[in-house]
């Protein structure tokens, strides 16, 4: 369970990226956060693993190791009070939370496998990681993570040689290799084309369903959001302006969240060309 | 890619063997280091032992004598160094412009000229400044003149190389336009090529002046004038506090000159 | 940079408000070329001042003749018996350059991390950079002069001069690379709960290692040139023989020595240059042998998509 209570983030420049947020996300939920850029989506997901510290309120993250790739079942449920968390405890929390990034954030000059093994850093003694001597079990887990996103054949290829979609799959595998209880995805498809985006969203959905991993995804595209989300949370100017099931979020709701009429840029479009009933809106000429 | 069939099995690739290049680099590193240690007699113990022992150089640094600047001969040598650097930069730089032009396709009238000029430039560049100084001392005797000549050649090497690199990347449009007007070769270079490289070229001259100033400190070690002669004088007399005094003062001056030069260069480019 | 510098700046804009003026008045005046004149005068004055140094101009007239004589003596009848000694002295220079580079690298890389503003507090970076600046400013040969009383005559002093002298440039190049690295993987490592050391090892080192190795190789090339002349002050290598032959006008040997230095420098440059290119290109080259701007081992269906859709999907190719 992730519980924001009266949580606020004010950046050094005085920008209020999160204002008095009250939000509870249950274990295993698939939540999509929508909002314009600058609405505080990134801040929200980065607060969960402490990459962005709260400046007010509280945030409690309970992790419950569940089913995972490695069949990990040890570990009691642990509760983290994220505010003020530092050092070892903060890293313990982060190890339980996988993260996927808009820019993939792979080390391009090393192999795909080494990138995925970064997900194991917290579980392996530091001296072994320094020498690159990962235990066989951890390599096996990384391989399974790659198989899960169907890119194991590239395990020994340098990440720089992959296309954008392939790199994001490696990013998912890296998060999966952490055997996380929570996965955060910050605009995971913003750099991808529609078919690849759908594929990435489907991987996230499958992982969520299969392992019961709580999944929080930032998205801009309303069609992707309504299609994959169990629950949609809308942010505007750092404030919660919508919270409801994916099915309840229609065009009017999005207009409300975005505070403007919708444009073609707000829709990802379908993976196959040709008409599809699920395309929510195709707005007319509207300047950006 | 079909996410709808996640159960599709793809064979895991075998771990590739370590790259031959990586292994070769590892071997090269070990072999070169071992051979180098053996043939130079380098030893860490020796270094540490040497550092622990009392010696003239370090005690000279501890008793550094900055008043050395008040000696007329040292002051003259400082001025000489500046003069050498200025003249070397101006004459060498002036010679470098036509040489750089002639070494490029745009500037050279014929391929033969281009290759001859390039060969000349390469030879000039391959000889370090202090070797030029040694050669000129042998030709014209000790003094400021051989140092000056050495800096001229050193400047030619540096400025020609940098300028011709820029010339390789100029916009050929204006050149074509000049050709179309029927301009003579030199006129074409003057109006269509030189203006394009002038800011970069001026900046290289200033940079070259910094290098010359630094180089002129060492030319005196072989008798080619400048402050180096004073360093050599005090060194051979074993007067290390004075040696250190000159070195520190000289590099304080070069530091100031470098800052000024960088300031000007920023404005130029 | 363009040829527009030749055109006078457009001054007509201040005047067009006065529409009644005749065309002639609208034409810009020729700008006074104050800057050009100032530069010319300054250069001429500096030149005159420089040439007023105590120079024996009469000797200059002899120089071309002397030069021709020396070149003739050098290459007419080289003393081949000196060759083995020269080659072994050249090897000593190369060995000095190699060890100097290794020592400099060992010190420069950790120091470079301390000079990178994205990794350490500003004042630490500032102090480390000042150390680099000082070391960069001093020529190796001056370092050799002050090191000889410490390490004695011979290669030991030369190695230390090259090692200490290279820390400055190598360190500067290194911290510039480190500051230019991609923050993404660092954030990703933090997000997995990695420790600082693990982050360095897996998110920073793989990004910067090829460039660092390449710069160390480059510095080796530079050091060979410096090392070849350190012997002039007695710090080992071929420079000692070279200085001796030239000072005592043993031209039939000096010429050979010059040729050995130049050829060895060119040879090492060529080998080292190839290694450096290979290091930067990586094991699979650019991964793009057929030159279509896409990795060669791209899935065929992804390739088709990327080539038909110029906007989407290509983000990861850089």
């Amino acid at each position: 369970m992730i519980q924001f209570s009266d949580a606020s983030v004010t950046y050094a420049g005085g920008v209020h990226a999160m204002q008095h947020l009250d939000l509870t996300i249950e274990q295993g939920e698939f939540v999509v956060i929508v909002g314009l850029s600058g609405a505080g989506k990134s801040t929200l997901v980065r607060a969960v693993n402490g990459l962005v510290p709260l400046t007010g309120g509280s945030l409690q993250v309970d992790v419950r190791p569940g089913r995972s790739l490695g069949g990990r079942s040890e570990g009691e449920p642990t509760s983290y009070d994220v505010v003020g968390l530092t050092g070892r405890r903060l890293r313990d929390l982060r190890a339980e939370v996988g993260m996927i990034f808009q820019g993939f954030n792979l080390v391009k000059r090393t192999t795909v496998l080494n990138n995925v093994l970064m997900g194991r850093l917290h579980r392996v003694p530091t001296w072994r990681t320094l020498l690159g001597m990962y235990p066989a079990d951890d390599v096996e887990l990384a391989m399974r993570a790659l198989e899960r996103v169907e890119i194991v054949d590239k395990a020994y290829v340098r990440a720089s040689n992959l296309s954008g979609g392939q790199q994001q799959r490696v990013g998912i595998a890296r998060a999966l290799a952490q055997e996380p209880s929570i996965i955060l995805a910050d605009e995971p498809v913003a750099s991808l084309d529609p078919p690849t985006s759908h594929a990435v969203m489907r991987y996230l959905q499958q992982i969520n369903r299969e392992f019961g991993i709580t999944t929080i995804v930032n998205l801009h595209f309303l069609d992707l959001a309504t299609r994959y989300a169990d629950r949609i949370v809308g942010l505007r100017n750092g404030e919660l302006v919508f919270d409801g099931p994916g099915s309840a979020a229609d065009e009017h709701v999005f207009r409300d969240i975005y505070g403007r009429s919708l444009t073609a840029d707000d829709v990802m479009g379908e993976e196959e060309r040709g008409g599809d009933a699920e395309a929510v809106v195709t707005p007319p000429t509207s300047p950006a | 890619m079909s996410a709808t069939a996640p159960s599709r099995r793809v064979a895991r690739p075998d771990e590739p063997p370590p790259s031959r290049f990586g292994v070769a680099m590892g071997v090269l590193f070990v072999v070169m280091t071992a051979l180098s240690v053996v043939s130079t007699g380098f030893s860490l113990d020796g270094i540490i032992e040497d550092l622990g022992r009392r010696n003239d150089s370090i005690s000279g640094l501890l008793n550094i004598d900055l008043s050395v600047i008040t000696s007329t001969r040292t002051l003259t040598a400082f001025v000489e160094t500046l003069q050498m650097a200025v003249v070397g930069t101006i004459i060498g730089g002036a010679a470098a412009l036509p040489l750089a032009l002639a070494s490029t396709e745009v500037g050279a009238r014929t391929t033969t000229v281009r290759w001859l000029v390039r060969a000349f430039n390469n030879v000039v560049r391959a000889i370090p400044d202090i070797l030029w100084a040694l050669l000129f001392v042998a030709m014209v005797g000790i003094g400021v003149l051989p140092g000056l000549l050495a800096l001229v050649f050193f400047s030619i090497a540096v400025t020609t190389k940098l300028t011709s690199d820029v010339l390789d990347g100029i916009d050929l449009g204006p050149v074509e336009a000049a050709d179309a007007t029927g301009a003579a070769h030199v006129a074409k270079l003057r109006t269509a090529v030189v203006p394009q490289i002038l800011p970069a070229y001026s900046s290289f001259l200033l940079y070259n002046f910094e290098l010359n100033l630094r180089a002129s400190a060492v030319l005196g070690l072989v008798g080619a004038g400048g402050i180096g002669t004073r360093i050599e004088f005090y060194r051979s007399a074993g007067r290390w506090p004075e040696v250190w005094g000159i070195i520190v003062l000289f590099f304080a001056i070069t530091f100031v000159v470098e800052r000024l030069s960088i300031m000007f260069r920023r404005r130029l480019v | 940079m363009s040829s527009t510098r030749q055109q006078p700046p457009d001054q007509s804009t201040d005047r067009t408000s006065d529409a009644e003026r005749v065309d002639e008045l609208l034409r810009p005046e020729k700008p006074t070329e104050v800057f050009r004149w100032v530069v010319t005068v300054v250069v001429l004055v500096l030149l005159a001042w420089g040439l007023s140094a105590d120079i024996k101009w009469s000797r200059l007239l002899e120089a071309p003749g002397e030069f021709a004589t020396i070149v003739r003596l050098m290459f007419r009848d080289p003393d081949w018996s000196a060759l083995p000694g020269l080659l072994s002295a050249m090897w000593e220079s190369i060995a000095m350059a190699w060890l100097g580079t290794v020592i400099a690298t060992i010190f420069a890389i950790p120091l470079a991390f301390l000079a990178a503003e994205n990794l350490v507090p500003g004042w630490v970076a500032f102090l480390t950079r000042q150390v680099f600046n000082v070391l960069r400013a001093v020529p190796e040969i001056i370092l050799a002069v002050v090191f000889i009383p410490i390490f004695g005559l011979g290669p030991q002093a030369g190695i230390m001069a090259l090692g200490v002298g290279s820390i400055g440039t190598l360190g500067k190049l290194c911290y510039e690379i480190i500051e230019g690295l991609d923050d993404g993987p660092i954030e990703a490592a933090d997000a997995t709960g990695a420790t600082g050391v693990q982050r360095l090892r897996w998110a920073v080192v793989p990004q910067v290692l090829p460039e660092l190795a390449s710069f160390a190789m480059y510095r080796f090339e530079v050091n060979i040139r410096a090392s070849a002349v350190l012997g002039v002050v007695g710090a080992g290598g071929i420079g000692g023989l070279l200085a001796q032959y030239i000072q005592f006008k043993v031209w039939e040997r000096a010429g050979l020595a010059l040729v050995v230095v130049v050829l060895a420098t060119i040879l090492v440059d060529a080998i080292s240059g190839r290694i450096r290119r290979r290091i930067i290109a990586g094991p699979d080259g650019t991964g793009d042998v057929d030159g279509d701007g896409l990795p060669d081992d791209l899935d065929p269906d992804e390739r088709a998509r990327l080539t038909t859709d110029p906007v989407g999907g290509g983000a990861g190719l850089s």
Side-chain angles (χ1 to χ4, degrees):
Chain A
M1 190 181 72
I2 299 166
Q3 193 166 17
F4 289 90
S5 308
D6 194 30
S8 299
V9 173
T10 307
Y11 287 117
V15 178
H16 300 285
M18 187 192 290
Q19 304 190 51
H20 309 291
L21 182 74
D22 287 300
L23 177 67
T24 304
I25 294 168
E26 296 298 336
Q27 179 70 35
E29 273 192 281
F30 193 109
V31 181
V32 169
I33 317 278
V34 294
L36 292 175
S37 65
K41 304 193 296 278
S42 268
T43 305
L44 194 154
V45 299
R46 280 176 166 72
V48 173
N49 61 359
L51 283 176
V52 171
L54 292 191
T55 51
S58 71
L59 166 58
Q60 188 179 329
V61 176
D62 297 339
V63 296
R64 194 187 63 203
R67 281 169 296 152
S68 78
L69 277 176
R72 185 166 69 110
S73 58
E74 95 280 9
E76 293 295 298
T78 320
S79 183
Y80 294 90
D81 193 355
V82 181
V83 177
L85 209 57
T86 55
R88 176 84 206 174
R89 287 276 294 167
L90 178 61
R91 282 185 277 113
D92 285 343
L93 164 67
R94 285 177 178 174
E96 294 288 349
V97 183
M99 187 154 185
I100 294 157
F101 303 85
Q102 172 178 354
F104 323 133
N105 288 6
L106 301 185
V107 181
K108 297 214 176 66
R109 273 191 166 141
T110 191
T111 60
V112 162
L113 183 63
N114 275 337
N115 271 292
V116 177
L117 281 167
M118 278 176 76
R120 302 304 299 163
L121 286 176
H122 188 73
R123 313 267 177 222
V124 178
T126 300
W127 69 268
R128 294 194 77 126
T129 61
L130 289 187
L131 297 172
M133 292 167 55
Y134 290 94
D137 288 351
D138 294 274
V139 177
E140 168 64 24
L141 215 133
M143 284 293 191
R144 277 195 214 161
L146 284 169
E147 277 168 351
R148 202 67 193 64
V149 292
E150 296 168 291
I151 197 163
V152 73
D153 52 319
K154 304 283 189 211
Y156 296 102
V157 173
R158 287 218 297 184
S160 58
N161 287 358
L162 301 186
S163 69
Q166 291 173 323
Q167 292 198 35
Q168 193 57 294
R169 280 146 72 190
V170 175
I172 296 173
R174 178 175 59 194
L176 212 48
Q178 285 177 239
E179 302 179 277
S181 330
I182 299 168
I183 282 183
L184 308 171
D186 186 22
E187 299 271 12
V189 300
S191 311
L192 303 174
D193 59 5
T196 318
S197 300
H198 281 280
V200 163
M201 289 307 295
R202 272 198 302 268
Y203 283 124
L204 289 176
Q205 196 178 44
Q206 283 160 11
I207 289 162
N208 163 262
R209 302 263 157 87
E210 187 170 336
F211 301 119
I213 298 172
T214 313
T215 306
I216 306 177
V217 185
N218 283 346
L219 282 179
H220 178 80
F221 304 105
L222 55 94
D223 53 341
L224 283 186
T226 48
R227 176 153 168 187
Y228 295 99
D230 294 339
R231 177 179 169 192
I232 288 181
V233 169
L235 293 181
R236 193 169 70 211
N237 299 327
E239 288 178 271
L240 188 104
V241 293
F242 177 81
D243 186 355
S247 52
D250 59 12
E251 200 182 325
H252 301 288
V253 169
F254 275 94
R255 249 177 225 160
D256 246 24
I257 296 171
Y258 288 0
R260 59 161 169 74
S261 53
L262 300 171
T263 74
D265 289 341
D266 299 327
V267 186
M268 167 58 83
E270 273 313 299
E271 45 197 316
E272 271 86 35
R273 292 197 176 87
D276 192 311
E278 280 190 51
V280 186
V281 276
T282 15
T285 55
S286 180
Chain B
M1 180 177 54
S2 61
T4 44
S7 55
R8 188 181 76 182
R9 300 290 297 187
V10 180
R12 287 185 191 177
D14 291 329
E15 186 171 359
S19 83
R20 274 197 318 221
F21 178 74
V23 173
M25 285 300 100
V27 171
L28 179 76
F29 179 81
V30 171
V31 169
M32 270 301 281
T33 308
L35 283 179
S36 300
V37 167
V38 170
S39 53
T40 59
F42 181 79
S43 97
L44 271 184
D45 292 353
I47 296 283
I48 291 162
E49 200 180 310
D50 287 339
L51 282 173
R53 203 168 358 157
R54 220 197 81 81
N55 63 72
D56 293 346
S57 178
I58 291 181
S59 52
L61 178 60
L62 297 177
N63 300 306
I64 183 167
D65 179 10
L66 292 174
S67 69
V68 69
I69 188 79
T70 54
S71 135
T72 324
R73 300 191 70 160
T74 307
L75 212 53
T76 316
F78 263 124
V79 174
E80 253 177 35
T81 289
L82 278 173
Q83 288 174 311
M84 282 161 60
V86 165
V87 177
T89 309
I90 295 175
I91 298 180
L97 188 58
L99 282 173
L101 282 168
S103 71
T104 59
E105 235 165 287
V106 180
R109 275 174 200 273
T110 68
T111 321
T112 326
V113 170
R114 192 169 88 231
W115 284 109
L116 281 177
V117 171
R118 280 199 181 171
F120 173 78
N121 291 345
N122 284 335
V123 171
V124 171
R125 205 168 53 243
I127 300 178
D129 47 0
I130 199 150
L131 274 190
W132 280 117
L134 272 170
L135 286 170
F136 283 120
V137 168
M139 282 181 222
V140 300
I142 62 167
V144 177
L145 184 58
L148 195 63
L149 292 172
L151 288 182
V152 167
F153 277 80
F154 178 62
S155 305
I156 288 176
V158 174
T159 315
T160 306
K161 170 77 180 132
L162 292 172
T163 310
S164 55
D165 284 352
V166 172
L167 277 168
D168 285 338
I170 60 164
D171 176 9
L172 290 176
V175 182
E176 202 180 3
D179 274 334
T181 66
H185 187 70
V186 174
K188 176 180 79 184
L189 295 182
R190 168 73 185 78
T191 55
V193 178
V194 173
Q196 291 194 52
I197 58 157
L198 210 54
Y201 170 72
S202 324
S203 156
F204 296 150
L205 287 183
L206 283 170
Y207 171 66
N208 191 207
F209 177 67
E210 294 165 35
L211 293 185
N212 275 349
L213 199 57
R214 220 172 281 160
S216 65
V218 302
L219 299 183
L221 297 178
V222 297
I227 195 63
T229 42
R230 299 308 290 167
I231 296 178
E232 180 61 13
F233 169 78
Y234 287 119
R235 187 193 68 86
S236 51
R239 292 165 67 178
W240 288 96
E242 283 90 345
V243 172
W244 278 106
I246 293 178
I247 291 176
V248 168
L249 285 171
F250 181 74
F251 287 104
I253 293 174
T254 38
F255 183 77
V256 173
V257 171
E258 205 181 283
R259 291 293 115 181
L260 287 176
S261 162
I262 289 174
M263 218 172 70
F264 279 117
R265 281 198 276 143
R266 287 229 176 96
R267 295 194 58 180
L268 279 171
V269 182
Chain C
M1 231 185 307
S2 79
S3 60
T4 51
R5 192 193 155 281
Q6 284 292 294
Q7 294 156 5
D10 184 7
Q11 297 185 340
S12 56
T13 43
D14 336 350
R15 307 177 183 197
T16 42
S17 58
D18 206 345
E20 294 92 59
R21 299 222 174 176
V22 287
D23 284 354
E24 205 168 310
L25 283 174
L26 281 170
R27 288 186 192 158
E29 284 170 27
K30 183 177 178 171
T32 49
E33 296 181 310
V34 180
F35 182 71
R36 181 179 288 195
W37 280 106
V38 169
V39 169
T40 312
V41 169
V42 167
V43 167
L44 286 177
V45 167
L46 279 176
L47 188 62
W49 170 71
L51 291 174
S52 72
D54 179 21
I55 298 170
K56 299 187 190 72
W57 290 109
S58 57
R59 304 298 302 265
L60 186 59
L61 299 174
E62 300 164 19
E66 278 284 329
F67 185 76
T69 314
I70 288 174
V71 170
R72 193 161 38 81
L73 289 173
M74 274 181 172
F75 302 110
R76 193 190 49 190
D77 188 17
D79 180 1
W80 293 105
S81 69
L83 190 61
L86 284 170
L87 288 180
S88 107
M90 188 64 225
W91 162 250
E92 187 171 78
S93 281
I94 295 175
M96 284 162 57
W98 181 268
L99 288 178
T101 311
V102 171
I103 291 174
T105 311
I106 289 171
F107 283 96
I109 290 182
L111 281 174
F113 282 100
L114 288 181
E117 279 178 341
N118 53 345
L119 298 180
V120 296
W123 64 272
V124 177
F126 178 79
L127 284 182
T128 318
R129 285 174 188 205
Q130 296 319 307
V131 173
F132 289 160
N133 281 339
V134 170
L135 292 177
R136 229 152 38 88
V138 187
E140 282 84 0
I141 204 153
I142 295 281
L143 286 175
V145 165
V146 301
F147 280 173
I148 285 172
I150 306 176
F151 304 111
L153 284 171
Q156 195 100 326
I159 292 167
M160 291 307 285
L162 293 169
V164 173
S166 307
I167 290 176
T169 28
L170 214 47
K172 182 176 190 312
L173 293 170
C174 290
Y175 80 67
E176 281 169 359
I177 301 175
I178 295 169
E179 288 188 345
L181 57 77
D182 179 5
D183 291 340
I186 297 177
E187 192 185 23
D190 279 341
T192 67
T195 62
V197 184
Q198 288 173 329
R199 180 179 63 192
L200 200 65
R201 168 66 182 86
W202 289 103
V204 178
V205 169
Q207 283 196 63
V208 300
L209 196 64
E211 260 97 6
L212 294 191
S214 160
F215 271 133
M217 289 299 290
Y218 171 70
R219 191 60 204 179
F220 171 57
E221 293 167 39
V222 173
N223 277 347
I224 284 187
R225 288 175 168 73
S227 158
V229 296
L230 284 181
V232 170
V233 294
I238 196 170
L241 289 176
L242 205 49
Q244 203 182 319
Y245 293 154
I246 294 176
Q247 275 162 355
F248 297 104
K249 311 204 174 194
V250 193
W251 298 116
E252 63 278 12
R253 290 183 170 201
L256 208 54
L258 270 180
V259 171
V260 167
V261 169
V262 170
L263 288 185
T265 315
I266 292 172
L267 185 70
V268 174
D269 277 8
I271 296 172
S272 166
R274 287 191 66 168
I275 294 178
R276 282 195 285 131
R277 277 194 292 280
R278 171 67 173 73
I279 290 174
I280 292 299
D284 27 25
T286 56
D288 180 20
V289 178
D290 59 10
D292 61 359
L294 297 172
D296 294 336
D297 58 350
L298 203 59
D299 286 348
D301 52 348
E302 295 223 26
R303 170 183 299 275
R305 187 161 56 244
L306 290 170
T307 44
T308 51
D309 174 11
V311 187
L317 296 177
S318 56

